[in-house]
Every structure is written in structure tokens, then in C-alpha cells.
Amino acid sequence: LNRPRIFEQIIITQLIVSIFFMINLLLIATVFSNQVFLSTMRYILFLITLVSDSVFLILSDLLLILYNIYFTMQVSLCIIFYLIVCQCMFVTPVTLTAMTLERYVAICLPLRHPELCSLHNTQKCILIILTVSSVPCFIILSTFIAAASSSVYTQHKRCSMEMFVSLPWQNHFKFAVYQFYFFIMSITITFSYVKIMKVAKAASGEDKKSTWKGLRTVILHAFQLLLCLIQLWCPFIESAIVKIDLLLYINVRYFNYVSFILAPRCLSPLIYGLRDEKFLNALKYLALCFVHIGLICWKCIEQVGI
């Protein structure tokens, strides 16, 4: 294997992860900068996706580094890492589906929106999101426990998600669980899109403008969900390529990791945030504050240097 090439890819990945993580932190800080954002369902759900994506970025990057430097850890510890990463992987698409339903209620059931999307119901919604997101992780983990011997948990191995799928039937079962979840999410988003489309055609004036804006938001959620779905297809594509050419497998896996795992977890939330005028204004203000503080610190460093 071309080790220098692999380490070059890891270094580039660190730069990308650092940039994406800083952008996500800026978006998280923007949500916390205004009490209105913390008392509105769609912004709270947006915050959930940002936190989940940030944790996913850090842990997946850490596991990537440890795997490539041949660091071994106890399998039981790897299971904990797996559960957290898997949970974060599902939290984002499930939350996107919940955000779509929130837009559906806001546009199709405007009189019931304050009641259904209250802060109390938002807390219940978050609990449901975390529960629903954890189910496939524990199902896949159960298949691993069913096939593994009791001694495997104390063994030391290189931690990767592939180690939990060692038999063909486990792989097929995992794929079936993933597709079932995204089928339900796709149906939900399609249903919301059709209902909002009907309201958009019947609306007029300012209501029509607001409705079409909500429709574009649903389309964006559908695109984000598609990216998440592609991410779940990647392991199956890679498993087919590894049998053909190992070097090609390494390059394809790196491309998939950057394009379909890292990038969507930063760019999609950023695009969503920039589309919201209220959030965009708060983001600009916070960014200018950070720039101003950075310039002050730089001048202080220059004066100390002099």
C-alpha cells in the first residue's frame, strides 16, 4: 500500500474537518445567541442536527486516525464508539424528517402550529428522535452479539464499523434496516411536499410567498436526506470494489468519506441557516464580532512583538 498517499489523505481530511467543525460551532453559537431561537421548534431541531453532526465529525475523524495508525483498543470500548457514531448518523435524517413535519404543520395547519410545536412538545419530539435513532444501532449491535463469542469483547482490535458486520446475513440485515428507515422518511417528506404544494396553489399574496418558501425548505430537506442515503450506500459500493482493486478501494473510500459523509454534515446545515433571514442576520452579527475580536487580538500580539 502507498502509505505516504494514505497519510497525505489523512492530513487533508484534518484540514477539512477543522474547517467544517469551526463552521458548525459558529452556527451553534448563533442559535445560542438569541433566546428566540431557543424557544422555537425548528431552530431547536436545527441545533440538534448541528450538535449531532459535530459529534459525528469529531468521533469519525478520531476513529479514522486511530485505524490508520494501527491503534488497537478493546472491542467493548469500540462498541461504545460505534453506538455514539451510529446514533449521530441517524439523528440527523430523523431530525430532518421532524423539521419537515414542522413545516407541514406551520403551512397546512397554521392555527394548530403554536399548540403542536410548543416548547413542551419540542422536548417530547427530541426524546422521540433520540429513541427512534437508537433503535437501528441496537438492532445491528444485537446481530453482532448473536454471532460473536463471549471472549471477543476483551480482545484488542483496530476499531472500525466493518468489524460489527462479519457475516453476509448481518450485512443484508443492516442494509434492510437502513432502507426501511429511509423509506419511511422519504414517504413522510413526499407526503409533506404534496400537501404543501396543494396549499401553495390555493394560496394568494403574502401567504403564497410564505408557502412556496416552506415548499423550498421541504425540497432542501429531501436533498439532505438523499445525501444521508448515499452515505449508507457507500459501504456496499466499497465492499464490491475491495474485491477488485485494493488501491482503488482506498481512493474511493476516501472520496466517499469527504464527499458524502463530511461535506453534507457542514454544507447542508450552512445552506439551511443562510436561507433563514432572521438566522442569517444573527450569523452575520456574530461573525463580525468574532472578526473584530480576532483583529484586536492580532493587534495586541503585534504590539507585544514590537
Side-chain angles (χ1 to χ4, degrees), residues 95-221:
T95 307
L96 288 174
T97 306
M99 292 170 74
T100 300
L101 290 174
E102 187 275 334
R103 287 295 83 198
Y104 162 75
V105 172
I107 294 169
C108 299
L109 304 169
L111 297 179
R112 297 200 62 193
H113 184 263
E115 174 195 347
L116 295 176
C117 299
S118 65
L119 194 59
H120 178 67
N121 284 337
T122 301
Q123 295 171 352
K124 291 181 180 179
C125 182
I126 293 172
L127 183 60
I128 293 171
I129 288 171
L130 295 177
T131 303
V132 171
S133 302
S134 64
V135 170
C137 306
F138 284 103
I139 289 176
I140 295 167
L141 181 61
S142 298
T143 63
F144 168 75
I145 294 173
S149 62
S150 57
S151 61
V152 73
Y153 305 109
T154 57
Q155 295 177 7
H156 283 71
K157 296 183 178 181
R158 293 166 72 193
C159 187
S160 68
M161 300 305 102
E162 288 77 11
M163 68 179 289
F164 296 99
V165 183
S166 56
L167 300 174
W169 71 268
Q170 291 175 310
N171 208 30
H172 297 321
F173 190 76
K174 174 183 175 181
F175 186 73
V177 171
Y178 284 177
Q179 298 314 305
F180 172 77
Y181 261 67
F182 280 93
F183 174 75
I184 298 299
M185 294 175 200
S186 300
I187 291 296
T188 304
I189 289 181
T190 302
F191 168 80
S192 301
Y193 177 85
V194 171
K195 289 293 185 180
I196 294 173
M197 176 70 80
K198 289 181 180 179
V199 174
K201 289 181 177 179
S204 60
E206 194 65 30
D207 289 338
K208 194 177 188 70
K209 181 180 178 182
S210 175
T211 303
W212 280 104
K213 184 178 179 181
L215 192 63
R216 288 193 295 270
T217 301
V218 173
I219 293 172
L220 176 60
H221 289 335

Side-chain angles (χ1 to χ4, degrees), residues 15-67:
L15 179 62
I16 295 172
V17 168
S18 299
I19 294 172
F20 287 176
F21 184 67
M22 292 304 295
I23 292 174
N24 274 9
L25 284 184
L26 180 60
L27 294 173
I28 291 172
T30 303
V31 176
F32 279 103
S33 68
N34 194 324
Q35 187 60 37
V36 174
F37 297 149
L38 295 175
S39 58
T40 307
M41 175 179 271
R42 72 173 182 271
Y43 293 117
I44 295 174
L45 294 179
F46 182 48
L47 176 63
I48 296 298
T49 64
L50 290 172
V51 173
S52 172
D53 289 344
S54 298
V55 173
F56 183 88
L57 282 174
I58 295 300
L59 283 185
S60 63
D61 183 53
L62 175 63
L63 291 175
L64 174 71
I65 295 171
L66 295 178
Y67 184 84

Side-chain angles (χ1 to χ4, degrees), residues 30 37 40 42-43 46 103 213 217 220 269-284:
T30 303
F37 297 149
T40 307
R42 72 173 182 271
Y43 293 117
F46 182 48
R103 287 295 83 198
K213 184 178 179 181
T217 301
L220 176 60
L270 180 61
I271 294 170
Y272 181 82
L274 294 178
R275 289 184 66 257
D276 189 293
E277 186 176 349
K278 187 185 296 184
F279 188 85
L280 178 59
N281 291 333
L283 179 63
K284 286 179 179 178

